[in-house]
Amino acid sequence: MTKAQAKPKKATSRISSAERRESILAAATEVFIRCGYAGARTKDIAVEAKINEALIYRHFASKEELFDAAVIEPLESWLETYNHAGRLVATAADAETQLQLLERGAEQYLSHMDEVFPLLGIALFGSGSYGPEFYAKRIVPLIEGWARRTATAMPSDAPGSKLDQHFLAIAGIGISFFVAANAHFRGTRLDTEASAKQLAQMMLPLFEHRGDSADRKPD
């Protein structure tokens, strides 16, 4: 058969590596919510994603890494955003600007928390012995990261500067978690904008400049 007689190959639709990763992640999220962490198998995730199981391991080294990508990475990406915005909060000249910045950050974080809440709940409370391990390996570093960034955002003359930043981080994550939990278990949509405004109003007194740093005497 000559080249002229050869039938042209059918065009095949191919998706990029990034798109494939996202499709696997979406399928994994469905399976984790349905089966829990312990009950979820990569075989089930492959079926949900309509791919060969081996393809999962081209993108994720393990089920644990896949779970972390679905739960922790969105929260860590918010921390990176907060890292940049935090300095703006600390140096803002007035309370109104601080409030706007706090609202913006709170809305983004609540959106992430609302998205990952079902999986986060499964990891902490629905996976037997995995809960303490997951908390120690993934949540504790998240708390420490938040504490560092809260310290960065806190003006030296603000009331919150006298508080333990680690405690503030735990309190902030706890509030966000239960705001998301309340919407989830009531079967309602979380109004992240309205909730962020409430949360920012609550936080503002901790971050406001009080102008007393200049009056402090050196130790």
Side-chain angles (χ1 to χ4, degrees):
M1 182 183 293
T2 65
K3 290 183 179 180
Q5 294 173 318
K7 293 182 179 179
K9 292 183 178 180
K10 292 183 179 180
T12 56
S13 59
R14 302 189 64 177
I15 65 174
S16 68
S17 178
E19 290 172 326
R20 176 66 72 191
R21 185 181 189 276
E22 287 303 311
S23 70
I24 294 172
L25 204 51
T29 298
E30 292 297 321
V31 174
F32 282 130
I33 291 174
R34 187 166 65 238
C35 304
Y37 178 80
R41 302 179 303 170
T42 52
K43 182 185 296 185
D44 300 325
I45 294 169
V47 171
E48 184 76 23
K50 298 179 175 60
I51 58 171
N52 188 289
E53 185 179 4
L55 193 56
I56 292 176
Y57 293 100
R58 294 185 186 179
H59 298 269
F60 302 95
S62 64
K63 183 175 79 169
E64 181 181 12
E65 184 177 302
L66 181 53
F67 192 85
D68 281 356
V71 180
I72 297 299
E73 284 184 12
L75 300 179
E76 288 179 335
S77 69
W78 178 86
L79 279 179
E80 290 305 313
T81 302
Y82 184 37
N83 190 34
H84 300 295
R87 299 182 189 278
L88 298 177
V89 174
T91 58
D94 55 81
E96 183 178 354
T97 303
Q98 284 183 312
L99 182 61
Q100 291 173 351
L101 291 167
L102 289 171
E103 286 179 0
R104 192 183 309 161
E107 184 173 358
Q108 186 177 10
Y109 186 72
L110 284 169
S111 177
H112 284 320
M113 183 62 78
D114 185 44
E115 178 184 338
V116 304
F117 169 77
L119 294 178
L120 192 55
I122 287 169
L124 292 172
F125 308 117
S127 302
S129 60
Y130 182 65
E133 178 187 349
F134 177 79
Y135 188 88
K137 287 178 62 176
R138 306 303 286 149
I139 301 301
V140 169
L142 197 67
I143 291 170
E144 292 172 350
W146 193 334
R148 287 193 300 270
R149 287 158 176 78
T150 299
T152 300
M154 189 71 68
S156 60
D157 62 339
S161 65
K162 301 179 179 66
L163 300 178
D164 181 356
Q165 306 301 302
H166 191 264
F167 175 81
L168 288 179
I170 294 172
I173 292 174
I175 290 171
S176 302
F177 181 84
F178 278 99
V179 167
N182 184 64
H184 178 80
F185 289 117
R186 287 176 179 270
T188 60
R189 184 185 68 83
L190 175 60
D191 188 337
T192 54
E193 182 179 358
S195 297
K197 287 181 182 296
Q198 293 290 323
L199 187 55
Q201 286 282 1
M202 187 173 67
M203 293 190 300
L204 182 62
L206 296 175
F207 287 83
E208 276 187 295
H209 295 283
R210 291 301 169 89
D212 60 355
S213 59
D215 299 328
R216 294 176 188 162
K217 293 181 181 180
D219 295 334

